Amino acid sequence: MIRPAFLDVAETAAALLREPMLIERWSMPSALPDFSTGGLARHLANQLTRTVAFLAAAPGASAISVLEHFTGNAWVTSGVDSADNIGIRRRCEQAAASTTATNLADVVDDALSELRTTVPAQPADRIVDLGDWGLQVDDFLLTRVVELVVHIDDLAVSLGLPTPAMPETATGAAIKLLSSLAAWRHGSLNVIRALARQERAPTSIAAL
């Protein structure tokens, strides 16, 4: 079910990137530290455009689990001021400076059109090559679903708009993966307490 979930939430992202408010707020600060609204929009758009590129590339030879993918990435726990996260913001800001909200929306619409064809056609055993490692294609799409769900909310808040309703298949998949990451990062007991025992809940069980 992750492929329809990815395409459905990608539709939501594409619609948000068409909001007229994005043109007005392109150069203004976003809801995220050190990220302009345009830079954040570019980062959201990357979840579609880069997926097109990854699926068009040669398949990888071996894959790790989706949890290993996150736990092996330093940016997951290194904080917003780490070199990895600064690099992500810098690249997105540079890309945003060379385009406009309207042009970005056009690029995303083209990417989505291509993904509607390429995503369902992927073989079940396809490995997406990420450089240092690979992921099974459905695991890779799950990572994109998490990014889309999280950053759709970030961008909507940055634009002063209600966060659009997202497909339950996408939000459910994101919650499941983020819960597993939170348990890895903070321990299962802390996650249980945060969800069931307010009086003993830790300050944070943030997965990322």
Side-chain angles (χ1 to χ4, degrees):
M1 294 298 292
I2 200 62
R3 299 187 193 198
F6 168 78
L7 291 172
D8 286 347
V9 77
E11 293 263 9
T12 305
L16 182 61
L17 289 166
R18 281 282 178 199
E19 284 286 347
M21 188 64 70
L22 181 56
I23 298 172
E24 299 178 24
R25 299 202 177 190
W26 187 258
S27 299
M28 296 176 64
S30 76
L32 301 183
D34 299 323
F35 233 152
S36 71
T37 301
L40 175 58
R42 177 67 258 190
H43 186 60
L44 176 61
N46 283 349
Q47 311 316 316
L48 281 74
T49 59
R50 293 191 67 196
T51 297
V52 169
F54 277 123
L55 296 183
S62 61
I64 62 174
S65 72
V66 69
L67 282 177
E68 288 175 302
H69 166 73
F70 280 99
T71 59
N73 262 315
W75 65 264
V76 173
T77 58
S78 57
V80 295
D81 294 325
S82 70
D84 289 319
N85 285 306
I86 290 172
I88 291 170
R89 294 196 299 273
R90 184 173 297 150
R91 289 189 295 274
C92 290
E93 294 295 337
Q94 290 171 346
S98 64
T99 190
T100 65
T102 301
N103 287 341
L104 183 62
D106 289 341
V107 169
V108 167
D109 285 347
D110 288 344
L112 181 56
S113 179
E114 185 168 348
L115 289 166
R116 290 191 188 106
T117 300
T118 57
V119 166
Q122 294 299 308
D125 60 352
R126 164 73 192 273
I127 295 173
V128 178
D129 186 2
L130 301 179
D132 292 334
W133 54 70
L135 287 174
Q136 294 282 348
V137 63
D138 286 353
D139 283 344
F140 170 72
L141 292 172
L142 173 58
T143 69
R144 298 310 90 195
V145 166
V146 171
E147 291 278 352
L148 286 163
V149 167
V150 170
H151 293 307
I152 284 169
D153 180 46
D154 289 331
L155 184 58
V157 171
S158 300
L159 297 176
L161 299 172
T163 298
M166 288 181 271
E168 290 188 9
T169 50
T171 55
I175 289 168
K176 183 177 180 180
L177 179 53
L178 290 170
S179 297
S180 296
L181 288 172
W184 165 77
R185 188 171 179 182
H186 301 283
S188 298
L189 181 58
N190 279 327
V191 173
I192 291 169
R193 285 175 171 173
L195 296 174
R197 285 292 175 262
Q198 184 176 0
E199 65 273 18
R200 294 196 298 277
T203 303
S204 172
I205 57 165
L208 304 174

